[in-house]
Each structure stands twice: as structure tokens, then as C-alpha cells.
Amino acid sequence: MLSRIECAGAEHLGLYGGEVRQVGPLRAIFAGPELPVNVACGFGSSPDGLEELLDSVEAFYTLHGLPSRLVLYSHFGDWEALAARGYSLLRLLHVYVLPLTERPAPPPMPSPSQLPSPSQLTARPSPPAEFLSVASRAFGAGSEAIMERTAQRPQTRFFAAEQGGQPVATAAFSVFGSLALLFSAATLPAFRGQGAQMALLAARLHAAHGAGATVAAVMTTPGSASERNVQRAGFVLAGARLSMEQVRA
């Protein structure tokens, strides 16, 4: 399953645009200055000719004035080679999966004859401009550039949770083959802990199944509220995603 998620993840990162350089089985991405999606991905368990591949990846990022950054999954098997070249861990995310054997129920919505109460959360599709506005405020200062690029992605569907007619949380997903990747979930600080992300999970899973997905995958920070949400929704741990950066002496 991790190999399948890794392939989908490489396609996912390529949707952010910019320059994508194919280096053997790897995909090196430069989407724009200071964007977190400037990474090389697609390593699998251990690609042939790893040293030569890394030479090419590092040269690519040197041309852009950046350190080399890699995204790998926990089934990768040659961590010593990366350590020898000066790579260290930047971030680790847990990877969760949920089979969509039956179409998940949509999130609860008020009936046409009822007005939602001021405290009632509802989830619905969201236009890219609304996603950008809410996500930039929810993720906070410094997120504006990557959220703007996210809002421009093709093959991406956005959702919002609203309370009292105001959007208070947002999230997105894309489908690659029959696998749905769920990402960019964030809630405005004043509305956290009130069920917005559970409503958005339900809405996205329902829509992803309708779009042909048979499995959903999501990545969370270990021990976070997001991780607890996906566990409550029935997702199971499949492995880890590791972001590495080269530090040259």
C-alpha cells in the first residue's frame, strides 16, 4: 500500500506546477521559491543507482539555490546512504488508509425546512477562492504562497465547513487512479475542537467514493488532533512519510 501511496504522492506534488525534472524513477519538483513542495520523491524501497540519482537531484536543487530535500516512505531501505550524504530528518508524518468498500454516508445537513442553528456545522463543496481565504488564515502567517498554489491546482476538489453561514474550516482531496489523497485540512483557531474536521472528513470520503476511489489516504502529525480524528473515522496506520534535507558541511 505504501508503494501505491508514494506513486500517488508523486503525482500529487507535480500538480503544484513549476518545473518537474524526471531523474530516473525520481521526480524532482521546483514549484517556486520557498515552497514546501520543492522536493524529490518516488524512491520506492531502494532504487538502483541511488548515488547517481542523488547526484542529479542535488545538482537540480543547487541550480535553484536550494538545499536538496527528499520525501521518502518508511519502506525505504537505505537510510545509511542518505546519512552519509548529510541528510537529516525534517518532518515525519503518519500515513493512514481507509478502504472505501461502501460509499460513506455524507455529513449531516439540515433539512430544507430547517434553518441551521448558529452552532451547527455543515460541510459542503467550496470554490478555490474561498478555500484560499480560509486556509491562509487557518494555517497562519507564511502559508499564503503555498495555499494560493494549492487553490490553483487541477484535479483538486475543495470543501468547507461552515457555522452560522460562515466558513470556518476547509480541506481538499484529489483522486489518483482509485486512491484518494486527503490534504490541506485546517480550521480557524476560534472554531477548533467543535467537529469541523470530522464533518469535512465525512464529506470528502463520500465525494471520493463517488469519484471512483476505493481507498483513501491521509497524512497526519503524530499525536495531533488530526490523527485522533482519522483514527475515530476508522483509518488504520500504514506507515510513515519522512521529509529529509541535506546539510552540507
Side-chain angles (χ1 to χ4, degrees):
M1 179 56 73
L2 278 182
S3 295
R4 184 178 172 189
I5 293 170
E6 184 173 25
C7 290
E11 291 186 56
H12 163 74
L13 291 169
L15 294 180
Y16 283 93
E19 182 180 355
V20 179
R21 177 77 59 83
Q22 195 71 34
V23 181
L26 310 184
R27 180 175 291 186
I29 296 159
F30 175 73
E34 300 182 7
L35 292 180
V37 293
N38 295 330
V39 298
C41 52
F43 286 82
S45 57
S46 186
D48 294 334
L50 178 62
E51 296 290 340
E52 291 77 11
L53 293 173
L54 290 172
D55 285 341
S56 297
V57 166
E58 291 161 13
F60 172 77
Y61 287 113
T62 296
L63 286 174
H64 290 288
L66 297 173
S68 178
R69 290 183 176 177
L70 317 175
V71 166
L72 307 103
Y73 289 76
S74 49
H75 64 317
F76 181 76
D78 202 351
W79 302 105
E80 291 183 359
L82 299 183
R85 296 179 74 107
Y87 285 93
S88 60
L89 181 67
L90 275 180
R91 189 182 186 194
L92 182 146
L93 298 175
H94 282 163
V95 181
Y96 282 86
V97 297
L98 178 70
L100 301 178
T101 52
E102 297 180 1
R103 187 165 194 178
M109 299 287 285
S111 69
S113 62
Q114 294 175 321
L115 291 176
S117 69
S119 62
Q120 185 172 10
L121 282 163
T122 59
R124 55 166 173 75
S126 175
E130 181 182 64
F131 166 85
L132 173 59
S133 174
V134 177
S136 296
R137 288 180 287 141
F139 281 111
S143 67
E144 295 86 356
I146 187 60
M147 291 301 107
E148 181 174 1
R149 189 61 65 88
T150 303
Q152 298 169 353
R153 285 167 45 108
Q155 300 172 226
T156 305
R157 294 177 64 178
F158 304 104
F159 285 78
E162 65 176 36
Q163 189 176 82
Q166 298 297 318
V168 300
T170 194
F173 81 89
S174 293
V175 176
F176 303 94
S178 59
L179 188 146
L181 286 182
L182 281 55
F183 60 97
S184 291
T187 304
L188 296 176
F191 298 92
R192 290 173 185 165
Q194 299 179 32
Q197 288 304 326
M198 289 300 290
L200 287 169
L201 263 178
R204 288 182 293 164
L205 292 173
H206 182 77
H209 185 280
T214 60
V215 65
V218 64
M219 300 171 199
T220 69
T221 300
S224 65
S226 294
E227 181 166 59
R228 293 190 290 274
N229 284 339
V230 301
Q231 289 170 341
R232 284 197 294 268
F235 283 77
V236 296
L237 185 65
R241 179 188 190 268
L242 300 94
S243 299
M244 314 284 291
E245 180 175 285
Q246 186 181 41
V247 179
R248 293 189 179 273

